[in-house]
Amino acid sequence: MTTAAHATAAHATTGHAAAAPTCDRETSVTRSLLGYGVIAGPVYIGVSLAQALTRDGFDLTRHAWSLLANGDLGWIQIANFVLAGAMTVAFAAGLRRAHGGGWAPRLLAVYGLSLLAAGAFRADPAGGFPRGVPAGEVSWHGIAHLASGGIGFSCLVAACFVLARRFARRGQTAWAWSSRATGALFAAGFLAVASGAGAAWATLAFVGAVVLGWAWIGALALHTYRNA
């Protein structure tokens, strides 16, 4: 083979190697972490609804999902809180890697930690659930559960508005408005259940807010994954 032929072959080989996709470990890890944000919501909502529809005495219009942590099968909802919290923290880590830091990943990480705390500190029985268990005095773990929820929900709302501002700066109008709407509606649902004194409309409004919040997290995770 002539020198010119060798050069041509070498150029072709180099060009082929440059065109071939490379395995970027950093991107792979980031996408793996973001993937947890896609599945966290469906897992949490699915497990919660399955229990809500099958647990004796549970009423979706009267009882918050947190109450499912009580009773003989309470360990299922406790595990659900812990799993959803761990996946949310992992997603927040992936978001931090993809966005290069900022407040949004930190706020979402705190939301994930609040879910872990919600699993560690069980909500007190209320509203006749579990069946036959009367509501008593508020316990220390019940107070801790409420506090962790308040902190976590506040951080989720704040993350919505922080990211809305970032999307607006980038000219991503649809994402900016949807993030603002999610934050506002979630805050309204949380305030409704906090002040509704167990009214059916307030409980259902909060359930809708929780589903909306998880849908936003899943959509954000998928959007970031595709652009990572």
Side-chain angles (χ1 to χ4, degrees):
M1 183 180 292
T2 64
T3 303
H6 276 296
T8 301
H11 176 75
T13 302
T14 304
H16 177 74
T22 58
C23 181
D24 186 342
R25 185 177 182 277
E26 290 296 314
T27 300
S28 178
V29 171
T30 299
R31 286 183 170 179
S32 295
L33 292 170
L34 292 170
Y36 286 109
V38 178
I39 64 175
V43 170
Y44 178 79
I45 294 171
V47 172
S48 296
L49 282 178
Q51 294 178 86
L53 296 173
T54 57
R55 295 276 304 267
D56 181 42
F58 192 90
D59 185 347
L60 274 168
T61 66
R62 296 175 54 231
H63 300 134
W65 291 355
S66 294
L67 297 180
L68 291 166
N70 291 287
D72 294 338
L73 297 176
W75 63 269
I76 298 176
Q77 188 64 1
I78 291 173
N80 194 26
F81 274 126
V82 171
L83 182 60
M87 288 192 289
T88 303
V89 171
F91 160 63
L95 191 66
R96 181 180 182 279
R97 292 167 66 96
H99 284 184
W103 274 104
R106 298 173 188 172
L107 291 166
L108 288 169
V110 174
Y111 176 57
L113 292 173
S114 77
L115 291 169
L116 292 171
F121 305 113
R122 190 179 69 253
D124 291 317
F129 185 84
R131 189 185 294 277
V133 179
E137 295 183 1
V138 178
S139 66
W140 67 269
H141 55 79
I143 294 174
H145 181 90
L146 293 173
S148 62
I151 293 171
F153 296 146
S154 298
C155 286
L156 177 58
V157 171
C160 289
F161 286 104
V162 168
L163 283 172
R165 184 178 179 183
R166 173 175 289 193
F167 285 129
R169 287 200 304 265
R170 294 179 176 179
Q172 297 175 291
T173 306
W175 269 103
W177 279 108
S178 63
S179 296
R180 292 190 191 103
T182 299
L185 290 172
F186 193 96
F190 178 54
L191 291 175
V193 77
S195 61
W201 68 268
T203 303
L204 292 176
F206 183 62
V207 169
V210 169
V211 172
L212 176 63
W214 281 118
W216 178 79
I217 287 175
L220 174 64
L222 186 60
H223 172 74
T224 310
Y225 179 96
R226 288 173 173 172
N227 293 279

